[in-house]
């Protein structure tokens, strides 16, 4: 599971699933750049925990537009000279229930700007830098196991979606629509990029114990309703989502492309 010699960018990496992913990527030997929007203290603490700025760097960057995504890739690639893995983890979920007939245009555009437009900017710029700059240092094989193991892989893209992408979410149509688009984007990118050695996959979590979900999971009524849909009977811990994300960046995932990895305790099967 070694990622020694690789460089990864994790968006929204200062806390929750993103922070758990940063930690696990570092344990696997990768150098990591991660973005944050406002949690500066947490970002600094995470950098120190992960070995300091020689191997882990935090970049403050809003991600609300195509241009924001492009700027982050440029800044991230400059830190360690290149990027081999892109983990698109950031996103917003307006916590208040909002019937569609009351949803404002501003809310819709804000959610899609953060959850989708910036993703386009990230992916387009990441693929551009891979295509333009990696041929000189990417080996024919990632070099583990049997002949052909991980052969020809230039880079990995992992998009983080949600169970809401697959079954919808009442009163959160903006969020579900934006995450649903990531499923189609994953499949489209796989069809387009796999032959070039760029593998794109998606991890789709359900309820996870993060700051974003804390309010809902702390509410006895809302929590009971949410957990009742999960056969395992609990929310995931961030590390349980980070594991599959990091796996998809390793040579062990060298023959996986265009997949939606459901990491939700079986919830999507019964929803």
């Amino acid at each position: 599971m070694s990622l020694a010699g690789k460089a990864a960018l994790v968006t929204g990496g200062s806390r929750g699933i993103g922070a758990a992913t940063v930690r696990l990527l570092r344990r696997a030997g990768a150098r990591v750049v991660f973005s944050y929007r406002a949690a500066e203290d947490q970002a600094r603490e995470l950098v120190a925990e992960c070995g300091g700025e020689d191997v882990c760097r935090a970049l403050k960057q809003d991600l609300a537009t195509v241009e924001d995504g492009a700027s982050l890739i440029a800044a991230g690639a400059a830190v360690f000279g290149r990027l081999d893995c892109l983990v698109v983890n950031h996103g917003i979920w307006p916590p208040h229930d909002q019937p569609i007939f009351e949803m404002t245009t501003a809310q819709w555009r804000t959610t899609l700007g953060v959850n989708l437009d910036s993703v386009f900017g990230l992916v387009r710029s990441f693929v551009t830098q891979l295509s333009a700059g990696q041929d000189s240092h990417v080996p024919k094989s990632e070099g583990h196991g049997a002949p052909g193991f991980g052969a020809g892989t230039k880079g990995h893209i992992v998009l983080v979606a949600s169970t809401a992408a697959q079954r919808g979410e009442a009163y959160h149509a903006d969020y579900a629509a934006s995450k649903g688009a990531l499923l189609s984007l994953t499949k489209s990118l796989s069809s387009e990029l796999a032959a070039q050695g760029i593998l794109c996959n998606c991890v789709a979590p359900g309820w996870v114990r993060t700051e974003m979900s804390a309010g809902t999971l702390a509410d006895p009524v809302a929590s009971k309703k949410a957990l009742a849909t999960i056969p395992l009977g609990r929310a995931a811990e961030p590390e349980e989502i980070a594991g599959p994300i990091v796996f998809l960046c390793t040579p062990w995932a060298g023959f996986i492309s265009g997949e939606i990895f459901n990491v939700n305790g079986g919830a999507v099967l019964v929803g």
Side-chain angles (χ1 to χ4, degrees), residues 12-15 19 22-23 32 34-53 56-61 211:
S14 62
R15 52 192 179 184
V22 170
R23 292 186 185 98
V32 185
F34 68 89
S35 72
Y36 70 96
R37 185 181 63 84
E40 186 169 351
D41 290 343
Q42 289 169 291
R44 288 178 177 174
E45 291 171 3
L46 184 58
V47 169
E49 177 188 340
C50 289
E53 292 196 345
C56 185
R57 196 76 59 87
L59 298 176
K60 185 174 183 178
Q61 175 70 60
E211 291 185 25

Side-chain angles (χ1 to χ4, degrees), residues 141-271:
S141 170
E142 291 187 328
H144 302 271
F149 188 84
T153 302
K154 290 184 177 181
H156 297 270
I157 300 170
V158 181
L159 307 180
V160 179
S162 167
T163 54
Q166 298 170 84
R167 65 185 188 189
E169 186 174 0
Y171 308 108
H172 295 273
D174 53 338
Y175 177 78
S178 67
K179 291 298 185 178
L182 296 188
L183 305 191
S184 294
L185 181 60
T186 297
K187 297 172 184 179
S188 298
L189 292 175
S190 173
S191 300
E192 180 178 338
L193 300 175
Q196 302 174 37
I198 303 171
L199 306 183
C200 183
N201 292 288
C202 178
V203 170
W207 285 100
V208 185
R209 293 193 179 279
T210 65
E211 291 185 25
M212 188 167 71
S213 65
T216 299
L217 294 177
D219 181 277
V221 176
S223 178
K224 183 177 180 180
K225 181 180 178 182
L227 298 184
T229 66
I230 305 173
L232 281 180
R234 64 174 178 85
E237 298 300 327
E239 293 75 14
E240 293 176 304
I241 313 302
I245 290 172
V246 173
F247 163 74
L248 288 171
C249 294
T250 70
W252 294 97
F255 205 61
I256 301 173
S257 182
E259 288 298 321
I260 312 301
F261 271 45
N262 287 303
V263 191
N264 50 55
V268 78
L269 300 176
V270 298

